[in-house]
Amino acid sequence: MTRPLLELAIEAKHFNRHRVIDQLDFRLERGQIASLVGPSGCGKSTLLRIVAGLDTAYQGEVRIKGQPPRLHSREVGFIFQEPRLLPWLTVAENVGFDGGKAGARDPRVLELLAEVGLSDFAQAYPKQLSGGMAQRAAIARGLFTQPALLLLDEPFSAVDAFTRMRLQDLLLSVAARHQTTLLLVTHDVNEAAYLSDRVIVMASRPGRISGEVEVALPRARDRRDPALARYEAEILTLLDDGETSFRDPVPLTANEIPLEFSRLAFAV
Ligand SMILES: Nc1ncnc2c1ncn2[C@@H]1O[C@H](COP(=O)(O)OP(=O)(O)OP(=O)(O)O)[C@@H](O)[C@H]1O
Ligand SMILES: [Mg+2]
């Protein structure tokens, strides 16, 4: 029996003395598409950062193909909420960035740009792209190293509804073609149900899994399928249940408020 692509068993993650994740376990099989949904601050981005090897200060065990997460691993790609393209590089150079100096000339760059509909913009600079085009370039960049696992943190939240639907379908088609496993954070239950094989629902304080919904619908899916709406309702119910079951209803004390927020308070 082959091991799951991702095995995650986080006992705890603290920021300052505050426990933000508590006993969070799940596994992802190769080729699965899973969404993480949950209230703001429940630890979704923190979880993705741990899987990407960007955060190593936690108790527990995470394995990708049996190995601990490594920073800049070619096995794992990361797509953020905003495209994060380097403005002084062309679109092709951004997409091939992980390939070093020769990256932009790698034939895979043009192939990927064709897949995301940006063939004509290889030599353009990011400022010449619309928001949706820039996010398509970010998807191409995320796939450049042919990662087995692609992490996406609210990847489409900054684009309009129509572009969002097109990007969702683009993501599904390129993930299927590259057999990429997806772990996606979203606040949109409709997006979660439409895209995912599994929707993992988190509750906050501390961040933990409150339930999971398996979306057992064949692909390609129809956005108007009433069955999708029933899955959305199931996800919403789990979210509501999580909200009313705080394990730790004690508010943060002043010295536990994350640094960036306290700085913000001084800035206003
Ligand atoms: N660098 C940090 N230092 C201190 N606390 C942090 C840091 N990053 C996150 N936190 C805290 O950890 C908790 C989880 O944050 P995280 O960003 O993972 O939440 P999230 O679920 O992604 O929220 P959102 O949906 O708003 O993006 C929050 O309480 C947050 O304040
Ligand atoms: Mg987040």
Side-chain angles (χ1 to χ4, degrees), residues 196-233:
S196 312
D197 303 311
R198 296 163 58 191
V199 180
I200 298 165
V201 182
M202 289 177 65
S204 56
R205 294 168 53 194
R208 61 197 190 278
I209 294 175
S210 61
E212 183 173 320
V213 174
E214 188 190 341
V215 185
L217 291 176
R219 301 178 189 275
R221 294 175 178 164
D222 181 349
R223 293 180 187 275
R224 289 154 300 188
D225 185 346
L228 266 182
R230 288 196 289 276
Y231 283 114
E232 284 169 36

Side-chain angles (χ1 to χ4, degrees), residues 41 44-46 153-154 185 187:
K44 304 178 295 297
S45 297
T46 303
D153 197 351
E154 301 184 47
V185 168
H187 280 124

Side-chain angles (χ1 to χ4, degrees), residues 3-8 26-30 51 62-66 69 149 151 181 183:
R3 279 181 91 149
L5 178 76
L6 171 68
E7 297 161 278
L8 189 135
F26 68 88
R27 290 152 174 247
L28 272 188
E29 303 296 335
R30 283 171 171 75
V51 176
V62 179
R63 292 284 180 270
I64 300 159
K65 290 191 175 170
L149 175 63
L151 307 170
T181 306
L183 180 58

Side-chain angles (χ1 to χ4, degrees), residues 15-16 18 20-21 38-47 49 81 153-154 185 187 202 252 256-261:
F15 278 118
N16 307 323
H18 189 61
V20 294
I21 294 179
S40 180
C42 73
K44 304 178 295 297
S45 297
T46 303
L47 193 66
R49 289 173 53 79
Q81 187 170 6
D153 197 351
E154 301 184 47
V185 168
H187 280 124
M202 289 177 65
L252 298 187
E256 285 174 333
I257 294 173
L259 201 59
E260 64 255 42
F261 294 129

Side-chain angles (χ1 to χ4, degrees), residues 12-77:
K13 162 73 195 166
H14 292 85
F15 278 118
N16 307 323
R17 287 177 0 267
H18 189 61
R19 183 180 283 241
V20 294
I21 294 179
D22 182 52
Q23 301 296 342
L24 205 151
D25 297 357
F26 68 88
R27 290 152 174 247
L28 272 188
E29 303 296 335
R30 283 171 171 75
Q32 271 189 337
I33 301 179
S35 289
L36 281 172
V37 299
S40 180
C42 73
K44 304 178 295 297
S45 297
T46 303
L47 193 66
L48 289 198
R49 289 173 53 79
I50 288 174
V51 176
L54 290 161
D55 189 334
T56 53
Y58 61 91
Q59 286 96 59
E61 211 170 73
V62 179
R63 292 284 180 270
I64 300 159
K65 290 191 175 170
Q67 303 295 319
R70 266 187 311 115
L71 196 56
H72 305 310
S73 155
R74 296 172 76 87
E75 295 284 6
V76 181

